[in-house]
Every structure is written in structure tokens, then in C-alpha cells.
Amino acid sequence: MPSSSTVRSNAGSTLLRYRIRLQRLFHFSESHSMLLWAAVVGFLGALATVLFRECIYGLQQLLTGHSGSFVAMAKSLPWSMRLLLPAAGGLLAGAILVLAKRVPSSATSDYMEAVAIGDGNIPVRQSLLRSLSSLATVVSGGSIGREGPMVQLAALAASLVGRFTHFSPARLRLLVACGAAAGITSAYNAPIAGAFFVTEIVLGAIVMESFGPVVVASVVANITMRELPGYHPAYEMPPFPPVAGIEILWFVLLGIMAGIAAPQFLRLLAFSKHMFTRTALPLPLRLGLGGLLVGLISVWMPEVWGNGYSVVNSLLHTPWLWWSVLLVLVLKVLATAITTGSGAVGGIFTPTLFVGAAIGYLFGQLLHIVLPDLTSAPFAYAMVGMGAFLAAATSAPLMAILMIFEMTLSYQVVLPLMLSCVVAYFIARSINGASMYDITIKRNRDAQERVRLRGIHMNELIRPADTVLPLTAPFAEISGLFLKYPVKYIYIVDQRNRYCGVVALQDITSCLLEKSETQGKVAADFIRREFLHVVTPEMSLGDALQSFLDHQGERLPVVRSHEDPELLGAVYKTSLLDAYFRLDRSQELHA
């Protein structure tokens, strides 16, 4: 009677056979199937953002009897509630973050790192707890964006889909990128900008193999959002006035101002985080203190609550006194620095748009006073200022241009917007090269510092190789292992654990497609005796990286030496990149 393991292996072989037959029947390549999964992820990403938004509205209604604009909600509350509610929300958010830190996880919860340097695996419990912490901060009036957790939840949904369907690490990373694009699109009603945000910032390159699925996910997410009840654009943009002649120069000057101001804004956020860390307070008390300070500001200026949507919309449609705009700008920046510095989970993308709009509005007012007949209304400068400041802060000018263009749907805005964004980007880069997102900074450093890999060896990066079989392994066991692990190769060893070569998934699928006889066949019948792509313990990180560039795989086998090919384990590309970043940080500390 066959053992249970044999039965499972046979079942796995049958499942693999059916999967291959379906792909052959519908003539699906990996690229085709990726587009279909991107559409699924786009739909789920839109639902995830809607769910988070509805949670915000529901809790707003429960706590204050109002839902919608946080500024209107703050104005409806007595001063004591304005003071205490953010503090209470901060305490609760901090307590939830403490729970999240205690959840064991080997993967990063940051979707950007999961895509850029990870394997696409986003931990579920940690991500949900961090999103819950963000929800507590946002609902209680924290000066932070709600879009960060929305995108995180959309990326988490994509990661779960990919893991359930046993995607390989490379395809899983791309699927998570599609989820992130769906989240951004759903939050800002900007499918093109959402796609470019992911490719320009997260992926770091615009390649059609990745850009196509990301665009599909963005489009499906946008269509889904438009069909769901309660849909409305985040910003209600007025028609952009025609711009010609010398006025173009004023938008260039606005770009220079944004390029100078954006790095200072990022420095302020970093300084606030440093000062809160120096207090050595427990995380709940730190976030509670941050909430209390924001509440204190809101007693006098309720406009600091929330992410700034309502204030920006008001700037675009109603006249403001210059000193009112300046006061709101200063206090809003202070409140945002306090909220993010205290450790709150959330995004600063939307507050960045607010700062750009306020700076542009003030600049437009000044020009309108000096040259009333030669300049457009201040709201035009506010619209371009949003894009310029965003381009300088994110180091992604193309994404910023497309986002503002999609919001306005006006060709009149294109020329001044392009000039301001590009100028702002280069001015900011020339100052210190800072970026809102750590992954952008890491990618720039990687290009400049790759030579540091030389001389570092592979010993500490060796991990056990899970996909190892003996030469005598039967066909059913081979196919079962391919189903269990999303890999392209299984390592084959002899009785003395010496590496003999690999069995390729391609050979197994060919055997199944051709309906060849598999009874009695073993690993030795399919082995590829390749020693070209192997790693040895004394190999430097630089040489190992070159091996990965030649191999285009996610892992390589580690043998004791080419003369003594005992299999010691495997080394993963993610471990290699992690080692590089650890080296980078250690050398910075000793600089």
C-alpha cells in the first residue's frame, strides 16, 4: 500500500500536469497570465482602499457624529476634544505598534522594500496591525496622509494572491508592485501617475514587461473606483488659465523655490523624528505626546487636522488673505513634522501636495500684487506648486507632472508644470539629493557604491537549500517538490551530498506535455550537469553579484569548491543585497 507521502507526491504531479495543460490549451505565456492577475489585483486594490476609507468615515461618525472633512470635524468639536482626541488616538496607535513589533516576521512590511530588494512577501499580521495603528492616528486628527496605509493594504492583497497561486519571487514582486499602483490610483484618481509612481520610484526603471501589468492594475482600479458608490476626485481642480509670454519665467522661479524648500521640509521631518527618539519615551507615550501637541495647535488652528484635502480645495476655489495662508502653512508643516516624528504610521505624500499648493498660492499672490495684469490668479500657481514640490520631494518629476495633469485634464498646465517640476527636481538634487522615500536613496547609493562589494565573502549568506533531492528521487517526488516551491531548478546530490547538477522545471513540463512515460524515471534521467552558476564560500560579493547578473535567477547553489563540490546550501539574491546595504550603513557610521 503506498505511503501518504507517495500519494501526496502523485497528487502534486497530477496537479502540475493539469496546470500545464491549461496553459497550453489557452496559449498563455507568463506575460499573458501576468496581465490577467494584474487585473485581479487592481480590482482587489480598489476594494482595499475603499474599505479603509469607509472605516475612517465610520469611526468619524462614531466619535464625533460627523464624517468627511477633518477640518470641518475639528471645527465642530469643543476645544477640549480638539486637544484630547489626537492625544488619545496617539496612545492607541502607539499601543498597536508595540503589538506589531512583537509579531515575529522574517519579511519587511514595507511594500517598497518587498518589491525592490525583497521577494514580494509582505507579512499579514504585521501589515494589518500597522494599518490599524494608522487608522487610529488618522481618525483622531493626526496631520498625516491616509493614502500610505491604503497603498500598503492594496499591496498586501496582491502579495496574498501571489503567494496563494505560488508565484515565483520575481513575479510576486511585480504583482505587489501592481497592487501598490492600484492603491495609488484609487486614492488619487490618477491611473497614469499611479503606474509611473511604481515604475519610477519603486521599480526604478520603466520596462514594458513590468510597466504593462502595472498599467493594467491601475486602469482596473480606476474603473472599479468610478463604479463604486461615494466616488469623487480627491481634488476639485478649477480650469487652468492660458499662460504665455514672460509669465512662463515666474513658473520657473516657482520651481526654484520648490526645489530649495522641499529638502528643508524633509530635513524638518527627519529632525523631528530624531528629537522624539531622543526623549526615550515608550512608543505609546511618544505618539500620545505628538497627538497632544497637534491637538494644542488645533485649538487655535483646526485646519492642521487631517491630510490637507479640504484646505487645498479651498485655496483652489476661494480667495485667502496672504497671512492666513502663511499661518496655516507654518502650523500645518509643524503639525505634520510632529505627527510623523512621533512615529505615527501614515503617508506624507498628501501633506507634501498641501505644502506645494500653499507655497504656490503665496507666490502667486505676491506676483498678482506686483504685476496684476501680467500674471494668472494665485490658484494657478498653487496647482503648479503642488507638482513642483512633489517632484523635488520624491525625486520623481515625471510622476509629479502626470499626476497634476491627470487631476486638471488641461493642456494649458503642461508647459508651466513641466518647467517647474524639472527645475525643482534638479535644484533639490543639487542641494543634497534627499528623497521622501528611502528606497530611492538606497537605489542611488547602490549605483555609486557597488565597488564596496569587493572583498566581502559569502560565508554568512549561506542558507539551507530546501529543494534538494538525491539522484534516485522518483518523478512523482520531483514534480511534487516543484509544486511545493516556486523555483525553476531542483538541486541534485549523490550519496555523499556532492552537487551533481539540477533538474529544470522546463524539462519536467516538457515531459508532461509530450505525455512521455514517467513510470520508473528518476532525477538522474533529467539532470543537467552544470557547474557554471555556482557560488563558493570564499567568493566575494562582487563576484557573486556578477554570477546573479549572468544567471538571472533568485538563488544559486553553494559548493565547498569546484574540486570538492559538496553542497553547503544556497545563497539568495535578497540576502546578497541586504549584505550590501549593511556594509553601506556600517561604512557611513565610520565615516
Side-chain angles (χ1 to χ4, degrees):
M1 186 174 180
S3 64
S4 59
S5 61
T6 303
V7 172
R8 286 195 299 269
S9 296
N10 289 333
S13 177
T14 303
L15 181 58
L16 182 60
R17 189 190 302 269
Y18 280 123
R19 182 193 297 177
I20 296 167
R21 285 180 178 176
L22 286 173
Q23 288 181 345
R24 186 182 186 187
L25 176 63
F26 292 103
H27 303 286
F28 277 168
S29 66
E30 282 195 358
S31 299
H32 294 148
S33 62
M34 199 67 217
L35 294 177
L36 292 177
W37 285 114
V40 173
V41 164
F43 175 73
L44 294 178
L47 294 184
T49 56
V50 169
L51 176 63
F52 192 83
R53 183 190 67 191
E54 293 304 317
C55 287
I56 293 175
Y57 291 162
L59 288 175
Q60 279 182 324
Q61 193 71 31
L62 181 65
L63 290 174
T64 65
H66 300 272
S67 63
S69 167
F70 280 99
V71 174
M73 185 177 80
K75 290 180 177 179
S76 69
L77 296 175
W79 71 268
S80 57
M81 282 290 289
R82 286 192 215 169
L83 178 66
L84 298 178
L85 187 58
L91 286 171
L92 179 59
I96 297 172
L97 277 183
V98 171
L99 292 177
K101 291 179 181 294
R102 292 178 180 174
V103 175
S105 175
S106 58
T108 176
S109 60
D110 185 351
Y111 73 91
M112 289 191 180
E113 292 191 5
V115 171
I117 61 175
D119 58 2
N121 186 0
I122 299 178
V124 178
R125 287 185 294 174
Q126 195 176 66
S127 295
L128 292 178
L129 285 172
R130 287 177 63 84
S131 297
L132 191 61
S133 172
S134 179
L135 182 64
T137 301
V138 171
V139 168
S140 60
S143 181
I144 203 165
R146 64 187 184 184
E147 291 71 27
M150 285 180 172
V151 178
Q152 182 69 32
L153 289 174
L156 174 62
S159 180
L160 290 175
V161 169
R163 284 149 60 185
F164 180 77
T165 51
H166 301 288
F167 271 33
S168 65
R171 296 184 72 200
L172 182 57
R173 288 199 301 267
L174 179 54
L175 198 66
V176 172
C178 292
I184 295 167
T185 297
S186 302
Y188 292 101
N189 184 36
I192 302 176
F196 273 88
F197 175 91
V198 170
T199 53
E200 193 174 8
I201 294 178
V202 183
L203 295 176
I206 301 175
V207 181
M208 199 59 209
E209 285 74 10
S210 56
F211 187 62
V214 169
V215 168
V216 169
S218 297
V219 171
V220 171
N222 188 252
I223 293 173
T224 304
M225 291 296 295
R226 289 175 179 273
E227 294 299 322
L228 292 174
Y231 167 80
H232 59 85
Y235 298 103
E236 299 172 1
M237 294 289 193
F240 194 85
V243 174
I246 195 173
E247 189 174 4
I248 290 293
L249 297 178
W250 308 140
F251 288 99
V252 173
L253 184 57
L254 175 60
I256 295 174
M257 292 174 56
I260 295 173
Q264 315 315 318
F265 175 66
L266 297 178
R267 283 198 185 103
L268 178 61
L269 299 184
F271 175 76
S272 177
K273 185 176 181 179
H274 174 69
M275 295 303 294
F276 271 97
T277 303
R278 286 187 59 183
T279 62
L281 290 172
L283 194 56
L285 293 181
R286 198 189 311 166
L287 267 74
L289 174 61
L292 183 64
L293 293 175
V294 172
L296 186 63
I297 297 173
S298 71
V299 171
W300 184 31
M301 182 66 67
E303 283 81 4
V304 301
W305 271 30
N307 50 21
Y309 275 151
S310 59
V311 179
V312 172
N313 282 319
S314 179
L315 287 174
L316 296 176
H317 293 278
T318 57
W320 281 57
L321 297 174
W322 70 267
W323 59 267
S324 298
V325 180
L326 180 61
L327 186 60
V328 172
L329 172 62
V330 171
L331 294 180
K332 180 65 177 177
V333 168
L334 180 61
T336 301
I338 291 171
T339 304
T340 58
S342 66
V345 177
I348 57 172
F349 193 98
T350 310
T352 299
L353 290 173
F354 168 85
V355 176
I359 290 176
Y361 193 91
L362 285 171
F363 181 68
Q365 276 193 322
L366 176 62
L367 287 177
H368 207 61
I369 293 172
V370 177
L371 302 169
D373 298 327
L374 299 176
T375 56
S376 302
F379 73 82
Y381 291 87
M383 295 162 71
V384 174
M386 293 168 70
F389 199 82
L390 184 64
T394 61
S395 297
L398 184 58
M399 178 274 299
I401 293 168
L402 289 171
M403 175 161 283
I404 303 302
F405 173 68
E406 281 191 281
M407 289 179 181
T408 60
L409 294 178
S410 169
Y411 285 102
Q412 302 286 352
V413 76
V414 172
L415 182 58
L417 181 63
M418 290 176 64
L419 286 173
S420 290
C421 288
V422 171
V423 169
Y425 167 75
F426 281 107
I427 292 294
R429 285 291 299 271
S430 66
I431 293 176
N432 64 352
S435 173
M436 185 190 302
Y437 299 108
D438 292 338
I439 197 65
T440 305
I441 301 173
K442 290 178 180 178
R443 187 178 290 113
N444 292 336
R445 288 177 179 173
D446 180 61
Q448 299 171 0
E449 307 290 343
R450 186 167 295 181
V451 69
R452 295 185 182 185
L453 293 170
R454 304 295 179 184
I456 305 299
H457 299 291
M458 306 301 297
N459 291 328
E460 62 177 302
L461 304 182
I462 300 175
R463 296 182 184 177
D466 297 321
T467 55
V468 181
L469 290 177
L471 285 165
T472 56
F475 183 85
E477 189 173 356
I478 297 171
S479 59
L481 199 59
F482 273 122
L483 276 175
K484 184 177 180 181
Y485 295 98
V487 296
K488 295 181 179 180
Y489 301 102
I490 290 175
Y491 304 145
I492 305 301
V493 296
D494 61 14
Q495 293 180 345
R496 296 169 57 187
N497 197 41
R498 293 183 303 182
Y499 175 72
C500 299
V502 299
V503 171
L505 176 62
Q506 179 183 1
D507 297 337
I508 299 301
T509 55
S510 297
C511 182
L512 292 173
L513 289 173
E514 294 169 2
K515 301 182 180 179
S516 302
E517 179 59 42
T518 60
Q519 188 66 28
K521 288 198 173 185
V522 295
D525 298 321
F526 300 94
I527 193 169
R528 294 184 182 182
R529 298 182 180 273
E530 296 177 352
F531 284 86
L532 179 60
H533 299 302
V534 294
V535 174
T536 57
E538 71 277 2
M539 185 178 287
S540 69
L541 291 184
D543 293 336
L545 178 62
Q546 187 59 51
S547 296
F548 272 111
L549 293 176
D550 295 336
H551 177 57
Q552 296 297 328
E554 294 298 321
R555 60 184 189 137
L556 285 173
V558 181
V559 299
R560 191 172 300 280
S561 67
H562 288 283
E563 295 74 23
D564 179 19
E566 178 187 355
L567 185 66
L568 303 179
V571 62
Y572 290 79
K573 185 186 293 185
T574 53
S575 300
L576 188 69
L577 294 175
D578 286 342
Y580 164 68
F581 286 122
R582 287 200 304 271
L583 172 66
D584 187 51
R585 286 193 293 268
S586 66
Q587 293 198 0
E588 281 184 353
L589 291 175
H590 291 89

